[in-house]
Amino acid sequence: MRIHVVDHPLVAHKLTTLRDKRTDSPTFRRLADELVTLLAYEATRDVRTEQVDIETPVTATTGVKLSHPRPLVVPILRAGLGMLDGMVRLLPTAEVGFLGMIRNEETLKAETYATRMPDDLSGRQVYVLDPMLATGGTLVAAIQELISRGADDVTAICLLAAPEGVEVMERELAGTPVTVVTASVDERLNENGYIVPGLGDAGDRMYGTA
Ligand code: U5P
């Protein structure tokens, strides 16, 4: 497992406003969307392409286009849904699958409640969207599901990560082709499994159910 923390002033600026508890839901959604596009730009650095021949108005030349099979983008419901538009803006031809995961707030274990994606992911590059890598339970379960379907290259895009979650991912997904791209690895998790300083419950901040 590799982790890539995107170090860019625009990423830091947008993240700071997302953290601010005074930021309302509409602003939170817009900023999360913009931040995802910036993270997606970094996360797709190794997206597979193939060479194509084209003609410009001046001459024949070669370029690249995205390879087949197309990348698969998988938002984890519900908060990952708020990251989908920002991602497909850069990858409009990607296929989209869905994974519904809920964290049992007593055990902090992730349970799957909905799955909608191709059964066979052999040879596919997959981008998983989940705003918060907290205990890591949700992402580990999601990525194990993708790998069991044959995915051979998984990139998770998270707005924020906790060091505890990164450690769990490294342990549980050792030796698997997984990269995590995030705007920050924060200080720690609190006793309720929230990232500190964090930004609160991402789903609640996005959809205004706080
Ligand atoms: N979560 C938050 N804020 C936090 C910590 C966790 O919203 O500070 C939610 C996210 O929605 C994410 C899930 O989907 O919990 C990840 O939890 P975990 O399985 O990594 O602990």
Side-chain angles (χ1 to χ4, degrees):
M1 206 233 20
R2 293 188 304 156
I3 178 140
H4 177 39
V5 181
V6 178
D7 179 16
H8 190 289
L10 290 179
V11 167
H13 172 95
K14 289 177 202 303
L15 179 59
T16 303
T17 311
L18 282 177
R19 290 186 191 281
D20 192 330
K21 66 178 184 188
R22 294 168 305 178
T23 300
D24 62 12
S25 290
T27 313
F28 190 97
R29 278 200 298 273
R30 182 175 55 76
L31 280 168
D33 179 74
E34 293 172 4
L35 184 53
V36 170
T37 303
L38 295 176
L39 297 179
Y41 180 74
E42 286 292 330
T44 50
R45 200 166 273 286
D46 295 322
V47 69
R48 293 178 193 141
T49 57
E50 59 196 36
Q51 197 171 314
V52 286
D53 296 322
I54 57 152
E55 282 184 33
T56 76
V58 180
T59 185
T61 186
T62 55
V64 298
K65 64 170 191 170
L66 293 188
S67 301
H68 278 277
R70 298 275 184 219
L72 179 73
V73 174
V74 180
I76 298 182
L77 307 178
R78 92 191 140 139
L81 209 48
M83 300 171 72
L84 183 58
D85 284 355
M87 183 73 199
V88 297
R89 190 172 295 126
L90 289 195
L91 281 179
T93 55
E95 198 179 330
V96 179
F98 295 93
L99 257 182
M101 317 272 299
I102 184 132
R103 190 170 73 164
N104 181 319
E105 291 295 337
E106 272 156 36
T107 62
L108 296 186
K109 289 249 181 310
E111 295 161 11
T112 306
Y113 68 86
T115 321
R116 183 98 193 173
M117 65 175 132
D119 287 333
D120 181 11
L121 298 179
S122 327
R124 298 288 289 261
Q125 279 185 304
V126 183
Y127 296 90
V128 193
L129 310 177
D130 189 1
M132 313 291 273
L133 166 56
T135 65
T138 305
L139 262 184
V140 166
I143 292 171
Q144 282 169 343
E145 173 72 35
L146 296 167
I147 287 179
S148 76
R149 289 174 189 236
D152 66 350
D153 183 11
V154 180
T155 303
I157 303 180
C158 307
L159 302 180
L160 278 183
E164 293 88 339
V166 173
E167 211 171 281
V168 167
M169 296 268 294
E170 276 166 348
R171 194 173 61 233
E172 301 286 327
L173 300 171
T176 55
V178 175
T179 305
V180 175
V181 176
T182 184
S184 168
V185 177
D186 275 8
E187 280 166 31
R188 62 184 173 88
L189 281 184
N190 71 13
E191 55 288 358
N192 301 317
Y194 278 86
I195 298 177
V196 181
L199 51 74
D201 185 300
D204 289 352
R205 296 291 308 277
M206 264 176 207
Y207 302 115
T209 44

